[in-house]
Amino acid sequence: MSKITAFGTYVPERIVDNHYFEEIIDTNDEWITSRTGIKTRRFSKDGEYTSDLSVKAVENLMANSGKDVSDVDFIVVCTTSPDQPMPNAASRVQYKLGIKNAGCNDIYAACAGFVYGLQMAHGFVNSGVYKKVLVIGAETLTKITDMEDRTSCILFGDGAGAALVEPDEQEHFMAFNSGTNGDLGHDLYLSHKKNSINGVGINPNSKIVQNGRSVFKWAVGNIPNKVRELAEKAGLTLDDIDYIVPHSANLRIIEAIAKDLNYPMDRIPESVTEFGNTSSASIPLAIAKAERNGKIKKGDTLLLIGFGGGLTFAGAILKW
Ligand code: UT7
């Protein structure tokens, strides 16, 4: 059986507010705030990459918990913006932290990444394959954002979160689910070479491109039912869940999910207003913020649900 035994996050220093974009594209603070809820986001520095943010998140994890990570067996970095395609980001983290003997793999599942990472860590630990697994959700999305595309550049931000999964005498993970609509793959993509998905022409410009309306509709139309299914799988009602933590893509998506589920907004931690959409880092950043604000506490039952490019989603219910 397993649990998360330590946790830490990190965001780059540079704070960028909505007015920054008024100088470079045709937009304004009022549009960005009312359509997305975003007020600020963080930009990584030149030369600061996903593995650097990951390392800082793990250092904060160690400072928060007093845990040592030098003996972890496996490192999973969930990211859409690795330093480079090869070597993977997890191997860079292994090297930079001087971890001696760890398997390293990246999960490439966009905004669902961190929850997929937890599912994988749980499988490794509960099966006895590995004992100590570091799961990191980290992104430098601003390095793969088309800053001339006003429909996307205002959304994204950089950040990282790290969780250590270890064996325990009690099971802290209560249920998982996941699913994918590859038929909508062309609605959110980053392509280096290929110029079509599902027979639909796409722009291979090595930047994130999305059909925001379609992704919005898919998320709002599907995620509430996936939340209900997951709670049922764990034998719980939504009243038994202390906090639902969805991917922080857009405050309006979160509000629509809350309304559909008839679940109070003050029990849905978010990171999008302060940090923008940080993809696989958004759920850890929302949890960290809710902990800082005295909301999420040890022993609370959390339902996490990540969703995005694929289009794919992954959910988990766990005792924090
Ligand atoms: O992490 C998962 C990945 N992504 C997402 O979850 C994104 C999901 N989608 C969204 O968050 C929203 O669809 C957006 C925030 C991207 C867009 O909001 P929307 O309410 O769906 O706007 P829209 O695309 O329907 O566009 C409305 C109008 C359009 O103008 P017209 O055609 O009505 O004249 C856009 O051209 O807003 C215009 N617009 C902007 N105006 C000012 C689009 N971007 C901007 C902008 N500033 N930055």
Side-chain angles (χ1 to χ4, degrees):
M1 293 176 282
S2 55
K3 74 184 241 192
I4 294 175
T5 57
F7 179 68
T9 57
Y10 178 77
V11 286
E13 282 161 22
R14 184 175 165 206
I15 301 173
V16 174
D17 68 14
N18 293 339
H19 299 294
Y20 168 86
F21 295 95
E22 294 171 351
E23 307 292 317
I24 56 171
I25 49 163
D26 180 15
T27 193
N28 55 72
D29 175 46
E30 199 279 325
W31 191 96
I32 300 171
T33 306
S34 62
R35 298 287 178 134
T36 70
I38 298 168
K39 294 303 285 182
T40 53
R41 72 286 287 145
R42 301 294 175 103
F43 276 24
S44 50
K45 286 186 284 212
D46 284 348
E48 187 178 37
Y49 290 95
T50 293
S51 68
D52 302 310
L53 306 193
S54 302
V55 165
K56 293 250 175 65
V58 176
E59 284 168 353
N60 287 335
L61 172 154
M62 291 193 280
N64 293 342
S65 64
K67 288 259 178 194
D68 173 28
V69 298
S70 61
D71 59 344
V72 300
D73 304 302
F74 206 89
I75 305 169
V76 184
V77 176
C78 315
T79 187
T80 301
S81 47
D83 305 17
Q84 61 280 307
M86 182 174 68
N88 61 25
S91 305
R92 303 308 302 150
V93 172
Q94 176 271 332
Y95 168 73
K96 289 179 185 179
L97 285 170
I99 295 172
K100 281 215 176 76
N101 190 20
C104 285
N105 213 327
D106 288 4
I107 288 186
Y108 209 54
C111 313
F114 184 72
V115 183
Y116 272 117
L118 291 179
Q119 296 188 356
M120 193 164 151
H122 169 266
F124 280 154
V125 174
N126 285 43
S127 63
V129 171
Y130 300 117
K131 269 201 168 149
K132 241 177 149 174
V133 181
L134 252 185
V135 180
I136 301 166
E139 304 284 1
T140 45
L141 295 179
T142 60
K143 290 188 164 53
I144 52 166
T145 297
D146 179 353
M147 290 296 173
E148 290 176 2
D149 175 4
R150 70 173 184 163
T151 67
S152 70
C153 70
I154 47 107
L155 294 172
F156 300 117
D158 301 336
L164 186 64
V165 178
E166 291 185 275
D168 196 78
E169 283 164 13
Q170 274 188 323
E171 184 54 69
H172 281 62
F173 291 96
M174 297 154 82
F176 295 117
N177 68 351
S178 63
T180 304
N181 272 106
D183 53 320
L184 298 177
H186 52 277
D187 281 334
L188 181 52
Y189 64 85
L190 181 156
S191 176
H192 300 302
K193 301 198 270 287
K194 205 172 169 225
N195 61 7
S196 74
I197 298 176
N198 297 333
V200 179
I202 61 161
N203 182 0
N205 64 350
S206 300
K207 304 282 182 198
I208 302 170
V209 183
Q210 67 169 355
N211 176 346
R213 258 183 233 187
S214 169
V215 179
F216 194 104
K217 233 172 94 183
W218 172 82
V220 167
N222 288 283
I223 296 306
N225 279 340
K226 302 304 173 190
V227 168
R228 286 188 194 96
E229 271 171 33
L230 184 55
E232 243 170 68
K233 220 170 159 181
L236 300 175
T237 67
L238 293 186
D239 285 342
D240 301 322
I241 313 274
D242 295 306
Y243 295 96
I244 294 178
V245 193
H247 164 50
S248 266
N250 180 324
L251 197 61
R252 282 165 51 220
I253 295 181
I254 296 176
E255 286 167 349
I257 293 173
K259 192 166 172 225
D260 191 312
L261 295 172
N262 194 21
Y263 192 86
M265 271 300 281
D266 64 356
R267 279 166 50 202
I268 307 192
E270 57 84 18
S271 56
V272 72
T273 50
E274 189 177 357
F275 301 117
N277 179 343
T278 54
S279 193
S280 59
S282 88
I283 289 176
L285 290 177
I287 294 173
K289 196 172 167 183
E291 277 193 309
R292 269 199 309 279
N293 295 340
K295 284 190 158 186
I296 293 182
K297 296 193 180 63
K298 209 175 149 203
D300 281 345
T301 301
L302 309 188
L303 187 154
L304 318 182
I305 189 138
F307 51 86
L311 301 178
T312 190
F313 77 90
I317 299 181
L318 52 93
K319 283 265 177 225
W320 188 241

